[in-house]
């Protein structure tokens, strides 16, 4: 845990989807914090609830999804129960968002300059000329070559990687304190991925922005994050510094996950695999959600859900560490 | 059997049906109309086409609840003493029959051409779609009139009445295939590029086999919706044609024919002869349309 | 044929796609035809029992090659021979069932309206073998067990399965006609890592047990390093380097291969400095003149900007680069 007071604090967050037959719990009792300038990686397989956690924080949960319990605090102030209008202001001004598909995050009918200037004018007390200056420097900052010419181009005139840079420029235009990036590199090619990762990292460092980086790609996490939260079936399985999560994971799920990643160098060996697959939201087992797939399961795991226990340098939701690691 | 019924009751479609009172009402209304039409010979109080039972003395009898009405004729009688309620039931039989048959024809024609067009592509696609474009630039009713006119000229005079209904079905059916073809072509273009179709090609299935076994089952959703709404449109078209006098002969009147006949008496005060068939037509078409709208929404995952 | 261990031979294959606007637009707006060279001048061969992987970024033509081989597309140039028979000619029907394909998207590759049993049995039925219903059922059950599913699953529909299970069904379908060669187009890239490990293990197992030959298409170098014997690297429709997996990852020659290897996220967090990768893949409709990689290449000179290097075979494999030829790198 970093020593600085967290900028974002999520406590016991629970996101529910009421459906016809039952209420599905997509995010279940999740708590974490992010300090200024810190990159928190949130990893998990599809359906683990990582994106919904991000959506809940920025207040963009699609109905019928709703925050059923817990709270989200930005600089100590609750933001999860704000009226829609106020939340919208915070979302542009203090929280920036980056999504997977850069094409859908930009309006195809306006030039990127118009979109940047509008965002700046909406959230910052500056004049139009100043806003354009700012837009230019933002484009330069995210690494768009020849910003003076590119600023009047439309989104379709940019390549995928450049578009994602524009989306990042938009997200940081109002100098937010927190950026929530949901799979920002997934739609991009490997060589572009590396560029975007470097950019995100530099922004967090230079501007002191807290970044919540949601991804399924452990490689991206290893390169970018300071701390990592591993999610499984809507719950936090393990959270801790990136080095420890990668080199010495404690939760059996994280262990299995790390071992199942193929690496350059060990050829044609059997990969360690976790049997089975993540439960659907309609059939989350009692006790620890991971217990049916866990090689170290014992009686207690099937009965009671474990809380986060200290486990070495990380904290893991696993009964193996209930006696203090 | 019980399990199957339970599964049906529990299905999302059944659930969304139960949740919409308007739809339930529309379905009931449709059911009443359809039952009344199908079982007309058994349910109708009179047989309006049995000349021996007609009594000219009963002509122009007003509805039962008005002054001078007779309980034997709940909705009154027409100029020949035929019971309006019975003629409506028999008329709806013709209207529904023509409507359903025309929709079936349009559906088979449109779905086949749409599948072919979308899956084969190239010149065949261009040809079929241009024909569709040309047909779309004329109102459907004009196409139907044209086909009807050609049939009348081409066929011998004495055959007119006996083949009037098939000609009508052909006219309405052919005038309506385009929207099926366009929709199916669109869905086919999407499905054709999905990997399961490519998998079938790799395996060596022939294009007709792939179209029928793989693509067709996956493009039927929108067709069902269009079909339902088209039933209503087809009934209206049939009524319009019959009202214009080119539809079914007066010896076996449809709702449209009834309205036309009644129209002559509207201004002489015998309003019931035309109003009741009109109301029946509106109720039938409205119910079917409401059902179609519900089906469209229920099958659209985005609106669910 | 010189080497009878060669199963598949791709010789100078190329494929163009007409991406012109419709005729009427072209005439009214005075545009010419627009042709996309998806694949050009690609040659390689696959030996029995080995796994050849093709890697590259999106739009490099690797999936087009897969589709050329299984006959979904016809080559515009060159030829592709499988066991001495042309895959796009009159003899193609004789290859039916001998090669099959596994697709990327487990949600799109199974017909949602078909039961799993029918899906798996389709290749057998398509071959016209008059198998009895009982024999077919028996075979489907056997296949389901082979890919780690339950024989009872044959009565279910695809939507009842997770992504990984669907990919197993896809593999069972590919195996049902007893093929010797599988073309796998990004078979794990839509799957989560833990499930990817299961599928990769299954594929390795099946290869050993059934003596299968694989062409494995992927954009993920770590996966390729794990499963392949030889690796081909593609860039803008051309094969720029081909070598044994060990050689390629330890001593890459083509500047693009080096760049790709450098872009793999460093999972071990060794902290080794990375040369930042410059630029992006150019528009394939307007490729740069000369070597397609020259605008991003740190070693490009005037020759690279005007002349296109042909792939050259040597003892270490195949490479298409002037800088390598001229021993500049």
């Amino acid at each position: 845990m970093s020593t600085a007071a967290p900028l974002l604090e999520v406590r016991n967050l629970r996101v529910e989807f009421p459906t016809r037959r039952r209420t599905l719990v997509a995010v279940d009792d999740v708590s974490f914090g992010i300090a200024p300038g810190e990159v928190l990686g949130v990893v998990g397989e599809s359906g683990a609830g990582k994106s919904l956690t991000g959506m809940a924080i920025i207040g963009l949960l699609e109905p019928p999804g709703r925050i059923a319990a817990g709270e989200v605090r930005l600089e100590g102030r609750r933001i999860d129960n704000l009226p829609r209008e106020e939340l919208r202001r915070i979302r542009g001004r203090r929280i920036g968002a980056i999504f997977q598909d850069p094409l859908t995050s930009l309006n195809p009918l306006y030039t990127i300059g118009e979109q940047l200037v509008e965002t700046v004018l909406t959230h910052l007390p500056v004049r139009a000329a100043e806003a354009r200056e700012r837009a230019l420097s933002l484009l330069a900052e995210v690494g768009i070559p020849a910003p003076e010419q590119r600023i009047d181009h439309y989104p379709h005139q940019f390549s995928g990687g450049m578009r994602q840079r524009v989306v990042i420029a938009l997200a940081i235009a109002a100098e937010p304190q927190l950026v929530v990036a949901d799979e920002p590199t997934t739609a991009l090619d490997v060589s572009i991925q590396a560029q975007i990762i470097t950019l995100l990292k530099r922004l967090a460092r230079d501007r002191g922005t807290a970044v919540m980086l949601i991804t399924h790609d452990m490689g991206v996490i290893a390169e970018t994050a300071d701390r990592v939260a591993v999610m499984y079936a809507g719950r936090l399985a393990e959270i801790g510094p990136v080095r420890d999560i990668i080199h010495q994971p404690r939760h059996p799920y994280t262990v299995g996950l790390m071992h199942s990643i193929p690496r350059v160098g060990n050829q044609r060996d059997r990969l360690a695999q976790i049997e089975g697959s993540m439960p659907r939201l309609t059939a989350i087992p009692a006790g620890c959600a991971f217990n049916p797939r866990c090689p170290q399961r014992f009686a207690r795991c099937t009965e009671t859900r474990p809380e986060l226990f200290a486990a070495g340098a990380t904290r893991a939701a696993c009964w193996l560490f209930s006696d203090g690691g | 059997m019980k399990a199957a019924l339970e599964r049906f009751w529990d299905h999302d479609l059944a659930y969304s049906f139960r949740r919409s009172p308007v739809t339930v009402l529309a379905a009931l209304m449709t059911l009443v109309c359809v039952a009344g039409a199908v079982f007309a010979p058994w349910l109708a109080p009179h047989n309006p086409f049995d000349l021996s039972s007609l009594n000219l003395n009963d002509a122009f009898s007003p509805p039962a609840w008005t002054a001078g009405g007779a309980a034997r004729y709940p909705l009154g009688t027409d100029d020949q003493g035929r019971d309006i309620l019975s003629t409506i039931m028999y008329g709806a039989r013709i209207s529904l029959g023509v409507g359903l048959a025309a929709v079936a024809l349009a559906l088979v024609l449109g779905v086949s051409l749409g599948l072919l067009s979308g899956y084969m592509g190239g010149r065949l696609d261009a040809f079929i779609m241009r024909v569709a474009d040309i047909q779309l630039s004329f109102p459907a009713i004009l196409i139907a009139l044209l086909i009807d006119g050609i049939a009348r000229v081409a066929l011998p005079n004495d055959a007119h009445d006996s083949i009037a209904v098939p000609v009508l079905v052909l006219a309405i059916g052919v005038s309506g295939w385009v929207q099926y073809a366009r929709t199916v072509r669109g869905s086919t273009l999407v499905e054709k590029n999905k990997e399961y179709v490519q998998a079938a090609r790799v395996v060596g299935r022939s294009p007709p086999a792939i179209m029928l076994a793989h693509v067709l089952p996956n493009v039927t959703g929108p067709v069902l919706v269009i079909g339902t709404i088209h039933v209503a449109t087809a009934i209206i078209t049939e009524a319009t044609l019959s009202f214009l006098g080119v539809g079914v002969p007066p010896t076996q009147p449809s709702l449209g024919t009834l309205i036309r006949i009644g129209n002559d008496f509207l201004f002489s005060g015998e309003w019931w002869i035309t109003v009741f068939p009109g109301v029946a037509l509106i109720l039938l078409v409205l119910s079917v349309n409401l059902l179609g709208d519900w089906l469209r929404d229920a099958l659209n995952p985005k609106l669910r | 044929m010189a080497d009878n261990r060669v199963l598949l031979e791709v010789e100078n294959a190329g494929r163009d796609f007409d991406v012109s606007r419709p005729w009427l637009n072209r005439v009214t707006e005075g545009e010419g035809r627009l042709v996309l060279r998806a694949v050009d001048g690609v040659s390689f061969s696959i030996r029995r029992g080995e796994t050849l992987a093709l890697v590259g970024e999106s739009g490099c033509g690797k999936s087009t090659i897969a589709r050329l081989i299984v006959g979904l597309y016809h080559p515009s140039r060159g030829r592709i021979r499988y066991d001495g028979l042309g895959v796009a000619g009159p003899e193609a029907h004789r290859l039916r069932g001998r090669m099959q394909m596994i697709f990327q998207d487990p949600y799109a590759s199974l017909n949602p309206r078909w039961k799993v049993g029918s899906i798996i049995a389709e290749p057998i039925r398509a071959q016209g073998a008059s198998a009895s219903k009982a024999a077919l059922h028996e075979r489907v059950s056997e296949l389901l067990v082979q890919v780690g599913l339950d024989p009872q699953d044959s009565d279910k529909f695809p939507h009842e399965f997770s992504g990984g299970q669907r990919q197993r069904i896809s593999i069972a379908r590919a195996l049902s006609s007893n093929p010797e060669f599988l073309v796998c187009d990004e078979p794990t890239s839509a799957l989560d890592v833990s499930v990817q490990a299961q599928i990769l293990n299954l594929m390795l197992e099946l290869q050993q047990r059934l003596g299968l030959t694989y062409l494995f298409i992927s954009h993920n170098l770590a996966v390729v390093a794990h499963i392949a014997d030889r690796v081909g690297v593609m860039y803008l429709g051309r094969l720029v380097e081909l070598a044994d997996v060990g050689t390629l990852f330890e001593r890459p020659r083509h500047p693009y291969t080096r760049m790709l290897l450098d872009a793999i996220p460093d999972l071990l967090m060794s902290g080794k400095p990375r040369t930042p990768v410059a630029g992006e893949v150019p528009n394939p409709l307007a490729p740069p003149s000369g070597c397609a990689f020259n605008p991003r290449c740190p070693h490009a000179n005037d020759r690279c900007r005007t002349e296109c290097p042909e792939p050259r075979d040597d003892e270490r494999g195949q490479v298409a680069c002037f800088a390598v030829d001229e021993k500049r790198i």
Side-chain angles (χ1 to χ4, degrees):
Chain A
M1 266 287 185
S2 57
T3 44
L7 174 89
L8 174 81
E9 218 183 341
V10 176
R11 267 192 224 145
N12 310 105
L13 182 71
R14 181 184 174 93
V15 174
E16 291 183 349
F17 281 81
T19 69
R20 185 182 136 204
R21 292 186 179 84
R22 55 174 88 73
T23 296
L24 302 178
V25 183
V27 176
D28 193 356
D29 201 15
V30 165
S31 306
F32 59 84
I34 311 180
E38 185 185 43
V39 179
L40 175 77
V42 180
V43 278
E45 303 182 78
S46 43
K50 51 190 194 307
S51 286
L52 285 172
T53 307
M55 288 303 202
I57 289 169
I58 54 182
L60 283 179
L61 274 181
E62 294 233 5
R66 59 189 165 95
I67 298 180
E71 50 185 53
V72 180
R73 286 173 183 272
L74 190 67
E75 286 192 304
R77 195 165 149 246
R78 275 190 78 166
I79 57 166
D80 56 291
N81 54 359
L82 291 179
R84 190 185 283 249
E85 190 52 32
E86 207 168 328
L87 195 65
R88 209 168 55 89
R89 241 189 340 264
I90 286 187
R91 195 154 55 225
R93 175 71 186 85
R94 299 176 63 196
I95 307 180
I98 303 167
F99 298 109
Q100 176 171 343
D101 185 356
L103 200 52
T104 53
S105 321
L106 296 170
N107 188 332
L109 299 179
Y110 294 95
T111 67
I112 59 158
E114 286 165 345
Q115 299 184 48
L116 277 167
V117 166
E118 195 205 327
T119 310
V120 171
L121 285 177
T122 317
H123 295 294
L124 298 179
V126 293
R127 282 189 309 274
E130 248 177 285
R132 192 172 161 93
E133 277 307 305
R134 213 175 251 273
L136 281 170
S137 71
L138 278 168
L139 289 177
E141 189 174 353
V142 297
I144 303 235
E148 294 82 9
Q149 286 127 51
R150 301 294 267 165
I151 192 167
D152 294 320
H153 286 183
Y154 289 89
H156 73 262
Q157 292 169 293
F158 289 83
S159 64
M162 285 297 153
R163 242 181 248 140
Q164 194 61 301
R165 286 172 192 266
V166 173
V167 171
I168 293 176
L170 261 177
I172 61 169
E175 301 183 339
Q177 293 143 301
L178 171 73
V179 168
V180 176
D182 190 355
E183 305 271 8
T185 61
T186 307
L188 305 173
D189 278 320
V190 233
S191 63
I192 318 300
Q193 260 181 27
Q195 299 169 7
I196 298 295
I197 293 172
T198 318
L199 175 63
L200 274 176
K201 220 169 150 174
R202 203 187 72 220
L203 289 175
R205 204 183 46 228
D206 295 356
R207 297 177 155 243
T209 315
V211 177
M212 178 176 172
L213 174 68
I214 301 164
T215 178
H216 68 280
D217 189 337
M218 262 300 181
V220 171
I221 293 281
E223 295 258 315
T224 326
D226 300 307
R227 284 192 309 132
V228 184
V230 182
M231 288 191 72
Y232 185 81
R235 306 167 183 188
L236 220 49
E238 186 167 3
I239 182 165
V242 64
R243 242 163 218 292
D244 300 276
I245 294 280
I246 286 180
H247 290 298
Q248 268 191 307
R250 303 299 174 123
H251 195 287
Y253 172 63
T254 323
V255 175
L257 193 66
M258 291 308 303
H259 284 118
S260 63
I261 302 174
R263 298 164 199 222
V264 175
N266 50 352
Q267 272 116 37
R268 294 190 71 87
D269 293 332
R270 234 184 112 76
L271 287 163
Q273 66 179 49
I274 316 176
E275 297 303 331
S277 52
M278 196 164 65
R280 294 185 181 195
L281 289 182
T282 50
I284 293 181
C288 171
F290 186 61
N291 86 68
R293 303 172 72 190
C294 184
Q296 301 183 61
R297 170 184 52 185
F298 51 98
R300 201 170 180 184
C301 305
T302 58
E303 289 153 10
T304 328
R305 178 178 164 186
E307 52 189 297
L308 284 170
F309 300 111
T314 74
R315 291 190 302 141
C318 175
W319 287 117
L320 290 173
F321 307 103
S322 60
D323 54 359
Chain B
M1 185 60 204
K2 190 162 170 278
L5 267 179
E6 263 166 27
R7 221 174 28 244
F8 176 74
W9 181 250
D10 201 43
H11 193 273
D12 285 340
L13 216 55
Y15 177 76
S16 90
F17 179 76
R18 294 202 299 277
R19 288 284 299 266
S20 160
V22 175
T23 311
V24 174
L25 203 70
L28 277 178
M29 204 54 231
T30 312
L31 206 68
V32 168
C33 291
V34 171
V38 171
F39 301 110
W42 298 276
L43 291 180
H46 307 270
N47 182 352
F49 305 115
D50 181 4
L51 292 175
S52 61
S53 74
L54 290 183
N55 187 345
L56 274 179
N57 290 335
D58 287 338
F60 297 120
S61 169
W65 61 88
T66 54
R72 284 196 299 139
Y73 305 115
L75 299 181
T77 59
D78 66 4
D79 56 330
Q80 295 172 49
R82 290 189 292 209
D83 175 39
I84 296 288
L85 178 63
S86 305
T87 52
I88 288 176
M89 288 167 85
Y90 277 86
R93 213 173 141 90
I94 307 272
S95 286
L96 263 175
V98 171
L100 286 174
V103 167
L105 177 67
L107 196 141
V108 169
L109 204 63
V111 170
S112 321
L113 289 174
L115 259 180
L116 265 175
S117 194
Y119 191 82
M120 303 311 281
R123 285 177 189 207
L124 184 68
D125 176 34
F127 178 72
I128 294 175
M129 283 303 118
R130 290 305 81 74
V131 171
D133 286 345
I134 292 166
Q135 180 167 332
L136 266 192
S137 57
F138 298 98
I141 194 90
L142 208 63
I143 304 281
L145 275 172
L146 189 75
I147 294 170
D148 195 79
I150 292 170
R152 268 163 206 276
V153 174
L155 293 165
N157 252 336
D158 52 340
H160 275 175
D161 280 5
S162 56
I163 51 105
V165 170
V167 166
L168 203 57
V169 168
L170 186 77
I172 300 172
V174 169
S175 70
W177 66 275
V178 174
Q179 48 174 337
Y180 296 94
R182 289 197 151 192
T183 311
V184 168
R185 175 178 176 268
S187 318
T188 303
L189 286 177
V190 174
E191 297 298 318
K192 171 171 107 164
N193 288 316
K194 288 206 179 150
E195 291 175 344
Y196 72 88
V197 171
Q198 298 189 356
R201 287 176 58 200
V202 171
V203 157
R205 299 294 301 270
S206 63
I210 293 175
M211 276 189 265
L212 290 177
H214 283 289
V215 181
L216 184 60
N218 284 294
V219 299
T220 47
V223 170
L224 212 62
V225 174
I226 298 177
T228 313
I229 294 173
H230 191 202
V231 169
T233 322
I235 291 172
I236 292 277
T237 309
E238 184 279 329
T240 313
L241 289 173
S242 296
F243 184 83
L244 294 174
V246 293
V248 292
T251 46
Q252 36 175 177
S254 70
L255 289 176
T257 325
L258 292 178
I259 295 170
R260 177 173 58 106
I261 297 169
N263 201 33
D264 299 340
F265 305 102
L266 190 55
F267 294 102
S268 54
E270 288 86 16
W271 52 271
W272 57 89
I273 303 178
T274 190
V275 165
F276 288 119
V279 169
L281 180 71
I282 288 168
L283 282 179
L284 178 61
V285 168
L286 186 67
S287 314
V288 173
N289 259 330
L290 285 171
L291 274 182
D293 281 351
W294 160 76
L295 198 61
R296 186 190 54 210
D297 293 349
L299 291 179
N300 185 348
K302 278 193 194 140
L303 284 175
R304 219 180 262 165
Chain C
M1 207 163 296
D3 186 353
N4 63 5
R5 288 179 57 228
V6 169
L7 186 63
L8 180 89
E9 208 175 13
V10 177
E11 243 178 282
N12 218 4
R15 167 73 201 198
D16 300 339
F17 289 103
D18 189 344
V19 289
S20 320
R21 319 246 328 260
W23 174 79
L24 200 63
N25 297 59
R26 287 208 310 275
V27 171
T28 52
E29 284 154 47
E31 285 175 20
R33 282 197 168 271
L34 212 51
V35 172
L36 172 72
R37 293 211 148 182
V39 170
D40 200 15
V42 170
S43 305
F44 61 86
S45 57
I46 304 179
R47 290 187 287 267
R48 281 176 208 279
E50 78 166 348
T51 301
L52 177 82
L54 289 180
V55 285
E57 299 176 277
S58 49
C60 72
K62 53 192 194 298
S63 286
T64 307
I65 293 201
R67 281 164 173 72
L68 284 173
I69 290 172
V70 295
L72 282 174
Y73 298 148
H74 286 275
S76 311
R77 290 174 297 282
R79 25 173 233 169
I80 301 171
R81 297 176 74 77
Y82 181 91
D83 206 7
L85 302 168
V87 298
E91 311 145 327
H93 67 275
R94 286 167 59 190
L95 298 172
R96 291 263 179 253
R98 291 183 63 186
M99 58 169 128
Q100 292 292 349
M101 184 158 174
I102 302 171
F103 295 87
Q104 172 175 3
D105 183 355
Y107 292 86
S109 61
L110 307 176
N111 190 334
R113 308 268 167 169
W114 282 34
K115 282 188 178 171
V116 167
S118 319
I119 290 174
I120 295 177
E122 188 178 26
I124 309 176
R125 291 219 179 90
Q127 282 190 304
S130 53
S132 71
K133 225 176 164 136
L136 215 53
H137 187 78
E138 181 79 4
R139 175 76 181 133
V140 167
S141 303
E142 182 191 341
L143 285 160
L144 280 167
V145 172
Q146 204 162 43
V147 297
L149 293 171
D150 192 298
Q152 309 268 310
D153 289 339
S154 67
D155 281 332
K156 294 185 185 165
F157 284 98
H159 70 85
E160 295 172 68
F161 295 88
S162 68
Q165 289 170 321
R166 288 181 196 217
Q167 207 57 311
R168 286 173 192 269
I169 296 169
S170 212
I171 293 174
R173 168 178 60 191
L175 292 177
S176 71
S177 63
N178 277 319
E180 49 202 346
F181 179 54
L182 289 189
V183 175
C184 317
D185 186 15
E186 305 251 15
T188 64
S189 54
L191 305 176
D192 284 312
V193 262
S194 73
V195 181
Q196 165 172 284
Q198 296 172 3
I199 298 296
L200 290 176
N201 284 341
L202 176 67
M203 289 183 63
L204 285 173
E205 241 171 69
L206 290 169
Q207 182 168 40
Q208 276 159 17
R209 190 160 4 128
L210 305 171
L212 296 169
T213 307
Y214 289 147
L215 172 66
F216 194 96
I217 311 282
S218 179
H219 68 276
N220 186 330
L221 286 156
V223 168
V224 163
H226 186 77
I227 199 156
D229 297 305
R230 288 193 301 141
V231 182
V233 179
M234 292 194 64
Y235 189 75
L236 271 182
R238 287 176 167 269
L239 193 59
V240 295
E241 183 166 0
L242 179 74
D244 284 342
V245 64
T247 317
L248 189 100
F249 281 91
E250 276 149 39
R251 287 177 296 157
R253 291 194 287 175
H254 197 283
Y256 178 63
T257 315
R258 296 176 185 203
M259 194 196 86
L260 272 186
L261 291 180
D262 227 37
I264 304 175
D266 180 11
L267 199 56
L268 296 172
M269 305 183 61
S270 56
K272 76 168 164 69
R274 300 209 326 192
T275 17
V277 179
E280 292 186 32
V281 182
N283 179 0
L285 282 172
S289 64
C291 170
F293 188 60
N294 85 66
R296 301 172 78 186
C297 182
H299 308 286
N301 63 12
D302 285 343
R303 187 179 177 201
C304 303
R305 282 183 273 272
T306 49
E307 240 180 281
C308 182
E310 289 303 318
R312 193 174 47 73
D313 286 298
D314 59 18
E315 74 287 348
R316 272 167 69 184
Q318 199 186 90
V319 68
C321 176
F322 291 133
V324 173
D325 288 354
E326 294 161 5
K327 305 220 160 32
R328 285 192 278 125
I329 50 171

